[in-house]
Amino acid sequence: MANFETIAAEDRARAGKGVARATRRAGMVPGVIYGAKQDPTLIAIDPRVVMRELKRGGWRSRLYEIETATGKTRALMRDVQFHPVTDQPEHIDFQRLAVGEPVRVAVAVNFMNELLSVGMKRGGVLNVVRHAVEVWCDPDTIPDHFEADLGPLDINDNIRWHDLKGTEKTRPTIIDRDFVIATVAAPTVIAEAAPEPGAAAAAAPAKGGKGGPAKAAAPAAKAPAKPAAKK
């Protein structure tokens, strides 16, 4: 059974830009719950709750139960609109969930046994192609995450959709191929080339080369002789 997190909200009686602005002036974020062949439900949510969920990450696949004075609604958070200057949330959209009606959701991929990977021990680099995979599934069977086992992977090996664990009750939105999730690439660090044996000699001043022999240092100037004493 899927786990739903409860969010407290207030009902809004009317829609429109003026009403939405009034909601923001009252310190709340206007929102809407749509879908499941029902009329949209207008709500208002505390902006601190919205920002808390956004900072947690993975909010597009998290299951919510929105509780208002008129009842509870199960939904997915689909979109958040922000103020262009202050970056504060201005509007939030939820998709209503109905049992038996598949929904499209992005499920995060957790990579396991990285330290046990043969390729990683040999200096390979993990190249993640997809941190999350979009799938169709029933609202009550949305997985928290998929698992990718890196243990058996050597350099140039990869993990594909069929290798993931926890996908039994889901169907990927990409159906025409067994797409790649991650690969273990060869090391990309290039060792610095050692200088050639003659390089140091070439850098030193040449002796008797094409330019002729090196000039000797000029002799030190002699002090002028003292005049002879008069007899």
Side-chain angles (χ1 to χ4, degrees):
M1 185 68 178
N3 295 322
F4 288 81
E5 298 188 23
T6 301
I7 289 182
E10 298 178 3
D11 291 304
R12 288 193 298 139
R14 296 180 300 155
K17 293 183 178 180
V19 178
R21 284 194 293 266
T23 302
R24 297 186 193 102
R25 285 195 297 268
M28 302 291 281
V29 179
V32 62
I33 307 174
Y34 63 85
K37 300 178 182 179
Q38 300 181 30
D39 293 334
T41 301
L42 304 177
I43 58 174
I45 300 179
D46 189 325
R48 293 172 296 182
V49 174
V50 178
M51 294 305 298
R52 180 195 68 196
E53 295 304 312
L54 295 179
K55 290 179 180 179
R56 289 176 60 190
W59 52 272
R60 292 184 184 275
S61 59
R62 193 171 300 125
L63 301 174
Y64 296 101
E65 189 170 64
I66 304 171
E67 185 175 5
T68 66
T70 57
K72 299 179 181 180
T73 304
R74 292 182 172 182
L76 285 168
M77 190 186 299
R78 284 306 195 190
D79 188 37
V80 181
Q81 300 171 21
F82 298 91
H83 190 280
V85 177
T86 64
D87 285 335
Q88 293 299 309
E90 286 205 318
H91 195 275
I92 184 168
D93 294 347
F94 289 91
Q95 181 183 356
R96 185 182 288 108
L97 301 178
V99 177
E101 183 177 318
V103 292
R104 182 170 179 166
V105 61
V107 179
V109 178
N110 287 358
F111 295 94
M112 318 295 291
N113 299 324
E114 183 173 348
L115 297 179
L116 301 179
S117 169
V118 177
M120 303 291 282
K121 289 181 179 179
R122 294 176 56 202
V125 179
L126 179 63
N127 178 27
V128 179
V129 179
R130 290 178 172 84
H131 291 276
V133 181
E134 285 198 340
V135 297
W136 290 99
C137 59
D138 189 272
D140 282 339
T141 59
I142 297 177
D144 293 331
H145 61 271
F146 297 137
E147 290 187 359
D149 185 6
L150 301 176
L153 268 60
D154 201 346
I155 292 176
N156 295 327
D157 287 345
N158 56 53
I159 290 180
R160 295 180 177 272
W161 162 253
H162 78 271
D163 297 315
L164 297 180
K165 298 178 181 178
T167 63
E168 294 78 11
K169 297 182 180 180
T170 66
R171 175 170 54 89
T173 57
I174 301 175
I175 60 175
D176 59 342
R177 65 187 186 279
D178 189 17
F179 50 89
V180 174
I181 304 298
T183 63
V184 176
T188 56
V189 178
I190 301 176
E192 184 178 354
E196 296 181 3
K207 294 182 179 180
K210 186 176 181 180
K215 295 182 179 179
K222 295 181 179 180
K226 294 183 178 180
K230 294 182 178 180
K231 294 181 179 180

